[in-house]
């Protein structure tokens, strides 16, 4: 069975894979290599993604044209903002951003329920047919392990201060925070 560090790495790899796929789809990611040229700079400055036909999207999603436009604009703004933090932010910026992903109700604390919702979603994305097979109670065990590590004062919630302090002391987490340093 995978250790907590192994599960954290899988979660990081899943998120990285999703980000890379989205970056590739928007034409914003190519493997780094060779010298930069004026042609490369021009190509990056002219990248523009146009979604498939609006009619096709409406049919596939059951959203109205207006709803799709609102969703698309919101996604672009949120995506670019999040990407700027991940790629260009300080370690504190990145950790704060990660904390806010887990703090679902935005009250400044991560509860076990919030963490369980996130972990269950990650395990669901990984699928039931991983090797080695994940145990049914693996998300709950992961949450308990997370709280043992992060909940410094044992009050049942993890504050942003506890989260950042704990993450900065964890070598694996700090290495994963630096994975995106030279992507673009």
């Amino acid at each position: 069975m995978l250790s907590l560090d192994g599960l954290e790495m899988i979660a990081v790899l899943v998120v990285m894979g999703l980000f890379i796929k989205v970056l590739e789809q928007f034409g914003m990611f190519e493997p780094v290599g060779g010298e930069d040229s004026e042609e490369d700079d021009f190509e990056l400055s002219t990248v523009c993604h146009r979604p498939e036909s609006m009619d096709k999207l409406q049919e596939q999603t059951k959203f109205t044209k207006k709803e799709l436009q609102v969703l698309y604009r919101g996604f672009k703004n949120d995506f670019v903002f999040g990407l700027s933090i991940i790629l260009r932010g300080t370690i504190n910026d990145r950790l704060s951003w990660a904390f806010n992903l887990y703090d679902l109700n935005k009250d400044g604390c991560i509860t076990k329920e919030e963490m369980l919702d996130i972990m269950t979603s990650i395990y669901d994305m990984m699928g039931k047919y991983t090797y080695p097979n994940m145990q049914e109670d693996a998300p709950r065990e992961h949450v308990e392990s997370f709280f043992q590590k992060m909940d410094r004062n044992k009050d049942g919630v993890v504050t942003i201060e506890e989260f950042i302090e704990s993450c900065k002391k964890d070598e694996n987490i700090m290495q994963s925070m630096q994975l995106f340093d030279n992507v673009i």
Side-chain angles (χ1 to χ4, degrees), residues 69-83:
Q69 290 171 334
V70 169
L71 288 169
Y72 183 68
R73 286 185 188 117
F75 170 78
K76 285 193 316 183
N77 292 339
D78 291 344
F79 178 77
V80 171
F81 179 73
L83 196 59

Side-chain angles (χ1 to χ4, degrees), residues 77-142:
N77 292 339
D78 291 344
F79 178 77
V80 171
F81 179 73
L83 196 59
S84 74
I85 291 171
I86 291 169
L87 298 178
R88 300 281 159 61
T90 65
I91 292 296
N92 278 356
D93 293 338
R94 294 174 189 184
L95 291 173
S96 294
W97 183 81
F99 177 87
N100 286 319
L101 289 177
Y102 292 105
D103 182 13
L104 298 177
N105 66 2
K106 305 301 180 214
D107 67 351
C109 297
I110 300 171
T111 64
K112 287 185 178 185
E113 292 77 22
E114 288 171 316
M115 180 58 70
L116 186 59
D117 285 347
I118 298 289
M119 293 314 304
T120 301
S121 296
I122 290 171
Y123 279 85
D124 287 347
M125 282 191 321
M126 290 170 41
K128 303 285 185 208
Y129 304 104
T130 58
Y131 181 81
N133 290 336
M134 297 292 173
Q135 301 298 318
E136 187 108 359
D137 58 343
R140 189 168 302 283
E141 288 175 7
H142 193 112

